[in-house]
């Protein structure tokens, strides 16, 4: 079994909450490694923005792969990659992209069950997405490849009707289809989090959003992983704007050295 995969998988199995920083380039990844974080994960939205692309697979996969390779080149800790909808329109095409990520040395991926069309982002039918997931898992198994499949379900992000029931149905399907973990971005209420945790044997991943319970509370609720999404990236570049304003106000570069 791949040592990087094994290390990454074990981070989801302990009693301590796994805090995963989301990165967008090699330097941001290296900084978190220096601070002692045990792994890093890309934010596709942050990577796309850093390269001047729109989120939602507006970024060419080859551009993304270049940055991923540069990240794994500087990291000693596992890296997980957010591949959005898979950057492919079939299980074979998605698996081909995943194979290139495996060659680059990644330990895991996030793949989401919504798609973006003419009317915006909508959920894929649960059964068809589960079939895609199962096909990818079967290809990985046949190749003897080890990769942590963290499946993002967008029921809360999209605030769909009957989202708790819809989420629980999808959790069961995705667990049976070979997922290693479940990611529910925008879930924040303690009761909903507890319900999701109790409805699957897979480790639950949540994302920082306004109103998310404190880390210690998440740990008590049984959440195994929490990630930062694009929000750290946004704060970093908001700070760039604040510094430029401070330089203009001061009439000097002194604000850069305070």
């Amino acid at each position: 079994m791949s040592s990087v995969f094994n290390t990454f998988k074990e981070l989801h199995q302990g009693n301590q909450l796994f805090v995963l920083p989301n990165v967008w380039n090699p330097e941001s990844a290296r900084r978190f490694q220096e601070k002692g974080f045990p792994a890093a994960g890309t934010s596709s939205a942050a990577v796309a923005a850093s390269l001047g692309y729109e989120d939602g697979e507006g970024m060419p996969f080859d551009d993304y792969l270049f940055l991923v390779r540069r990240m794994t080149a500087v990291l000693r800790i596992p890296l997980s990659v957010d591949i959005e909808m898979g950057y492919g329109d079939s299980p074979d095409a998605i698996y081909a992209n995943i194979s290139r990520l495996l060659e680059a040395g990644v330990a895991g991926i996030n793949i989401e069950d919504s798609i973006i069309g003419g009317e915006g982002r909508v959920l894929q039918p649960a059964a068809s997405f589960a079939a895609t997931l199962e096909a990818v898992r079967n290809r990985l198994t046949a190749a003897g490849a080890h990769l942590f499949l963290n499946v993002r379900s967008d029921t809360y992000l999209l605030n769909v009707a009957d989202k708790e029931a819809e989420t629980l149905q999808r959790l069961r399907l995705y667990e049976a289809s070979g997922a290693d973990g479940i990611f529910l971005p925008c879930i924040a209420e303690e009761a909903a989090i507890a319900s999701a945790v109790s409805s699957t044997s897979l480790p639950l991943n949540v994302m920082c959003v306004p109103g998310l319970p404190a880390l210690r509370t998440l740990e008590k609720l049984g959440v195994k992983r929490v990630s930062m999404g694009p929000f750290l990236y946004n704060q970093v570049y908001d700070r760039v704007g604040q510094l430029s304003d401070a330089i203009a106000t001061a009439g000097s570069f002194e604000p850069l050295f305070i």
Side-chain angles (χ1 to χ4, degrees), residues 25-44:
N25 62 17
E27 182 61 12
S28 61
R30 188 183 65 80
R31 293 294 182 103
F32 280 112
Q33 177 175 262
E34 287 182 346
K35 291 297 182 181
F37 283 82
T42 65
S43 160
S44 62

Side-chain angles (χ1 to χ4, degrees), residues 187-206:
I187 193 171
E189 294 181 0
E190 290 189 25
I193 292 171
S195 175
V197 167
S198 67
S199 299
T200 179
S201 64
L202 299 178
L204 181 68
N205 174 195
V206 301

Side-chain angles (χ1 to χ4, degrees), residues 101-116:
L101 293 174
L102 280 166
E103 291 170 0
V106 307
I109 61 167
N110 278 6
I111 186 167
E112 60 207 44
D113 67 357
S114 62
I115 54 174
I116 299 174

Side-chain angles (χ1 to χ4, degrees), residues 5-36:
F5 164 78
N6 198 37
T7 297
F8 190 66
K9 186 174 183 179
E10 287 175 355
L11 291 169
H12 299 78
Q13 296 174 336
N15 293 324
Q16 185 173 356
L17 181 66
F18 167 32
V19 178
L20 181 71
N22 286 117
V23 299
W24 57 92
N25 62 17
E27 182 61 12
S28 61
R30 188 183 65 80
R31 293 294 182 103
F32 280 112
Q33 177 175 262
E34 287 182 346
K35 291 297 182 181

Side-chain angles (χ1 to χ4, degrees), residues 225-236:
R225 167 172 151 186
V226 60
S227 50
M228 300 178 183
F231 301 110
L232 178 75
Y233 171 90
N234 294 342
Q235 286 287 343
V236 167

Side-chain angles (χ1 to χ4, degrees), residues 47-190:
V47 174
S50 75
L51 294 176
Y53 295 111
E54 293 294 324
D55 190 23
E57 297 190 3
M59 167 176 54
F61 188 74
D62 283 346
D63 288 11
Y64 199 0
L65 183 62
F66 170 78
L67 273 180
V68 169
R69 286 172 171 158
R70 294 306 310 144
M71 289 184 209
T72 56
V74 304
L75 288 176
R76 300 181 305 277
I77 57 176
L79 178 70
S80 181
V81 173
D82 172 7
I83 65 165
E84 303 189 73
M85 291 83 75
Y87 287 82
D89 57 5
S90 69
D92 285 346
I94 293 169
Y95 180 75
N97 292 331
I98 291 172
S99 294
R100 298 173 76 190
L101 293 174
L102 280 166
E103 291 170 0
V106 307
I109 61 167
N110 278 6
I111 186 167
E112 60 207 44
D113 67 357
S114 62
I115 54 174
I116 299 174
E119 297 183 0
R121 185 179 290 272
V122 296
L123 286 176
Q124 297 183 55
S128 62
F129 179 78
T132 296
L133 180 63
E134 185 173 16
V136 168
R137 170 56 75 197
N138 288 342
R139 291 286 297 274
L140 288 166
T141 300
H146 301 287
L147 188 74
F148 192 94
L149 296 181
N150 202 44
V151 177
R152 181 181 119 176
S153 184
D154 283 346
T155 48
Y156 282 84
L157 184 149
L158 295 173
N159 195 27
V160 300
D162 299 320
K163 57 181 173 288
E164 185 168 330
E166 182 69 26
T167 300
L168 299 186
Q169 176 201 4
R170 287 173 180 261
L171 295 189
R172 288 190 290 270
L173 275 173
Y174 301 162
E175 182 171 352
S177 300
D180 292 301
I182 294 292
F183 177 26
L184 297 177
C186 298
I187 193 171
E189 294 181 0
E190 290 189 25

